[in-house]
């Protein structure tokens, strides 16, 4: 059982020899943490941990991850089992509510997601206002924030968030597909209630009014699995952002929009786009990958092997393992021979045999192979991070809910160690030199 174990205490000796006893907390999976919540009060000291390499920002009951062993579990269920046996709607329910749904719960959740897929007609004008070159992540984040203007009851912090959560999960697909359709100049395709979650999104993406479009089951299955694999990943950059913004009491749409923006960066969710750009470049240049590997090892080159390395995995990312296996199956099912898959496999083999990557424990992460599946589905490269955002939605929501439901939640407000100038006095402009 997790909690502060009174028997375990760490001792910190300060420069003045004063000793501070710090309780040790043991998590449900026997992870040990030194609880420093009273440290400043007891000693006057703060801790410094740039990049949060060693800092647990919260306790959480949502996702368990062991980066050394390559383990990932949502609410206790191994990712491998969920990817094989569950679907995205059910996994979303699990993450948000803590338990797998029974049949009645799952059907009712699915029905709610179907019913709330339309966006307010006035919002269509926003899409028209963006230039066709807009990155869909910019549009998605702005539209999700805009939802708070259409559902202003979200500002009432005492009201339940359940309906807003349903809206977010459902409408994110419509917004994503509409932004794509606008960018290629095609008419918007409205959601279709007869289709289930993933198929409805693919229909909005790829159907045109002039033709019949049947969603190929192999694409639906591939998308479903990708979304499950992206659904949560404990305290990563975007999820921590959602919790940080949520801790201020901001509404759920604002908090999730900030998560979308954090995800956009190429060191986080934007890496899936960067991986395909890297593979395309290698393909264009006729490199077998070896030149790129050499450049990625050279800090001065400004290059990295995108889709490799992870803050917490020092072993193979279990999601990457599943996606790699699926790549072969899905491409074969669609009769696609993608040269980028061969390049990716060669790059991986070369990197895993290279001392630089071995010593630093750099393995493929979730983004290394996911782009190849998205390409096979027909998703354009600029939309890759949007797909990640759709997948991560239940994880962000579960974390937002967790922080809102905890009576002990306080606003996230880290300390700093100030290293700027000490006090100095204002000098009028005429008395300042050329280079003050
Ligand atoms: N290619 C080459 N070298 C790398 C790579 C890489 N992909 N990743 C890390 N390294 C090197 C670093 O230069 C550093 O070397 P050094 O010890 O000689 O200075 C060492 O490995 C440790 O890496 P850090 O950057 O310190 O590790 P950190 O935990 O801060 O960063 C990150 C993790 C951002 C994921 C990093 O590995 C990276 O930039 N990877 C490429 C981008 C990527 O794929 N991001 C997606 C992550 S998964 C996700 O967010 C969904």
């Amino acid at each position: 059982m997790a909690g502060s174990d009174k028997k375990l205490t760490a001792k910190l000796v300060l420069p003045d020899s004063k000793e501070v006893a710090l309780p040790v907390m043991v998590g449900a999976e026997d992870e040990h943490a030194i609880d420093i919540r009273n440290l400043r009060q007891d000693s006057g000291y703060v801790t410094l941990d740039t990049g949060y390499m060693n800092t647990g920002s919260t306790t959480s009951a949502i996702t368990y991850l062991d980066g050394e062993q390559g383990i990932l579990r949502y609410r206790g269920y191994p990712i491998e089992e969920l990817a094989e046996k569950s679907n995205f709607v059910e996994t979303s329910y699990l993450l948000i509510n803590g338990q797998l749904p029974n049949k009645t719960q799952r059907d009712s959740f699915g029905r709610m997601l179907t019913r709330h897929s339309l966006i307010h007609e006035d919002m269509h004008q926003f899409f028209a206002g963006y230039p066709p070159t807009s990155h869909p992540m910019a549009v998605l984040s702005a539209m999700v924030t805009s939802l708070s203007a259409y559902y202003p009851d979200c500002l009432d912090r005492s009201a339940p968030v359940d309906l807003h959560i349903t809206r977010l999960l459902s409408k994110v697909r419509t917004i994503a597909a509409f932004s794509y359709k606008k960018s290629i100049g095609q008419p918007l395709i409205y959601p279709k209630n007869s289709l289930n979650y993933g198929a409805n999104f693919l229909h909005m993406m790829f159907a045109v009014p002039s033709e019949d479009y049947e969603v190929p089951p192999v694409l639906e299955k591939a998308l479903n699995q990708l979304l499950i694999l992206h659904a949560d990943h404990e305290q990563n950059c975007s999820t921590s952002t959602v919790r940080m913004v949520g801790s201020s009491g901001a509404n759920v749409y604002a908090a999730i929009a900030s998560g979308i923006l954090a995800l956009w960066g190429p060191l986080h969710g934007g890496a899936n786009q960067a991986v395909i750009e890297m593979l395309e470049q290698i393909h264009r240049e006729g490199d077998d990958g070896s030149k790129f590997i050499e450049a990625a090892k050279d800090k001065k080159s400004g290059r990295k092997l995108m889709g490799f390395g992870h803050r917490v995995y020092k072993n193979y990312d279990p999601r990457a393992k599943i996606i790699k296996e699926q790549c072969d199956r899905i491409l074969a099912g669609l009769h696609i021979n993608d040269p980028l898959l061969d390049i990716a496999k060669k790059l991986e083999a070369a990197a895993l045999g290279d001392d630089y990557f071995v010593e630093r424990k750099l393995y493929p992460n979730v983004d290394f192979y996911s782009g190849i599946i998205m390409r096979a589905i027909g998703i354009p490269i600029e939309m890759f991070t949007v797909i990640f955002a759709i997948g991560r939605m239940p994880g962000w929501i579960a974390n937002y809910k967790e922080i809102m439901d905890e009576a002990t939640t306080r606003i996230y407000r880290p300390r700093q160690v100030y290293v700027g100038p000490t006090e100095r006095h204002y000098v009028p402009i005429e008395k300042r030199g050329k280079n003050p």
Side-chain angles (χ1 to χ4, degrees):
M1 201 45 210
S4 277
D5 187 332
K6 288 276 180 296
K7 289 184 219 103
L8 291 179
T9 310
K11 202 188 293 172
L12 177 69
V13 184
L14 298 171
D16 63 0
S17 301
K18 185 181 167 196
E19 287 187 2
V20 184
L22 299 164
V24 169
M25 175 176 250
V26 183
E29 293 285 350
D30 206 32
E31 322 97 292
H32 285 53
I34 298 171
D35 182 346
I36 59 157
R37 278 176 285 190
N38 291 328
L39 177 65
R40 188 169 174 277
Q41 184 187 306
D42 292 349
S43 69
Y45 283 72
V46 297
T47 55
L48 179 64
D49 186 20
T50 51
Y52 308 120
M53 306 281 286
N54 311 282
T55 297
S57 61
T58 184
T59 56
S60 175
I62 303 168
T63 287
Y64 173 66
L65 196 167
D66 180 334
E68 270 72 34
Q69 307 286 328
I71 294 172
L72 175 63
R73 297 185 200 130
Y74 299 160
R75 302 283 189 185
Y77 296 98
I79 189 65
E80 293 80 5
E81 286 181 29
L82 292 170
E84 191 195 331
K85 298 178 182 160
S86 185
N87 61 48
F88 182 64
V89 170
E90 184 183 71
T91 298
S92 299
Y93 185 99
L94 168 70
L95 282 165
I96 295 167
N97 298 294
Q99 301 296 337
L100 282 169
N102 60 28
K103 192 174 177 323
T104 314
Q105 289 164 328
R106 193 201 55 201
D107 291 351
S108 139
F109 188 56
R111 261 195 312 278
M112 289 289 280
L113 292 179
T114 301
R115 278 189 50 193
H116 288 279
S117 55
L118 285 169
I119 57 170
H120 196 291
E121 284 291 304
D122 290 352
M123 283 184 80
H124 293 201
Q125 295 164 30
F126 301 160
F127 292 95
Y130 284 100
T133 49
S134 311
H135 195 288
M137 285 295 276
V139 180
L140 181 67
S141 56
M143 292 295 170
V144 168
T145 309
S146 302
L147 288 175
S148 62
Y150 286 87
Y151 304 103
D153 53 322
C154 69
L155 303 177
D156 177 0
R157 290 183 63 198
S158 60
V161 289
D162 297 359
L163 191 52
H164 299 301
I165 285 172
T166 311
R167 288 185 180 125
L168 265 168
L169 271 174
S170 185
K171 293 181 200 307
V172 66
R173 297 165 300 173
T174 317
I175 293 170
F178 280 14
S179 72
Y180 171 58
K181 285 297 196 191
K182 266 288 164 202
S183 74
I184 56 169
Q186 286 189 1
L188 306 181
I189 301 293
Y190 280 63
K192 210 170 165 182
N193 284 2
S194 57
L195 296 175
N196 58 30
Y197 192 91
N200 209 344
F201 172 63
L202 292 172
H203 187 263
M204 285 189 275
M205 284 283 292
F206 300 124
V208 285
S210 44
E211 282 172 18
D212 291 334
Y213 175 80
E214 285 268 330
V215 180
V218 60
L219 296 194
E220 190 186 344
K221 186 157 185 237
L223 177 70
N224 215 9
Q225 205 172 43
L226 267 185
L227 296 180
I228 292 174
L229 294 175
H230 286 89
D232 195 36
H233 211 234
E234 55 121 285
Q235 302 312 312
N236 56 83
C237 176
S238 55
T239 302
S240 299
T241 303
V242 168
R243 288 184 87 111
M244 163 100 47
V245 174
S247 79
S248 76
N251 70 75
V252 65
Y253 300 105
I256 301 296
S258 64
I260 292 170
L261 289 168
L263 185 75
W264 193 0
L267 298 187
H268 191 14
N272 52 19
Q273 177 172 343
V275 169
I276 292 295
E277 284 163 356
M278 172 186 78
L279 296 175
E280 281 175 342
Q281 184 190 343
I282 292 172
H283 186 49
R284 246 190 341 267
E285 292 173 357
D287 177 15
D288 62 355
S290 49
K291 273 197 241 146
F292 199 95
I293 294 257
E294 285 311 308
K297 293 186 318 190
D298 176 7
K299 302 273 189 283
K300 284 186 246 121
S301 74
R303 285 184 171 180
K304 274 185 170 181
L305 187 53
M306 298 310 287
F308 251 72
H310 201 280
R311 170 60 60 81
V312 289
Y313 288 119
K314 302 301 165 201
N315 200 329
Y316 216 105
D317 180 338
R319 304 165 301 171
K321 205 176 274 176
I322 300 169
I323 292 182
K324 186 182 175 189
E325 284 162 14
Q326 291 307 316
C327 265
D328 288 319
R329 196 184 57 77
I330 291 165
L331 265 60
L334 293 168
H335 310 291
I336 293 173
N337 182 13
D338 188 344
L340 299 195
L341 179 57
D342 295 334
I343 294 176
K345 283 183 178 173
K346 279 190 195 141
L347 266 182
E348 182 195 333
L352 295 183
D354 188 304
D355 285 350
Y356 174 95
F357 294 90
V358 173
E359 279 160 17
R360 290 168 179 77
K361 299 188 176 157
L362 301 171
Y363 290 87
N365 59 50
V366 67
D367 293 319
F368 195 66
Y369 287 104
S370 65
I372 293 180
I373 295 188
M374 287 193 258
R375 257 162 75 93
I377 296 175
I379 298 194
I381 189 165
E382 310 74 37
M383 289 290 287
F384 284 7
T385 316
V386 169
I387 302 295
F388 193 151
I390 297 174
R392 186 52 56 87
M393 201 55 71
W396 288 332
I397 289 169
N399 275 275
Y400 178 87
K401 244 174 92 74
E402 193 171 69
I403 204 163
M404 288 301 166
D405 291 349
E406 264 167 25
T408 52
T409 294
R410 304 176 76 181
I411 189 165
Y412 278 29
R413 202 316 189 171
R415 296 271 174 175
Q416 65 167 18
V417 177
Y418 177 69
V419 294
T422 51
E423 189 181 19
R424 50 184 173 167
H425 295 287
Y426 184 83
V427 179
I429 195 156
E430 58 283 4
K431 293 201 175 157
R432 289 175 216 159
K434 271 193 184 150
N435 298 304

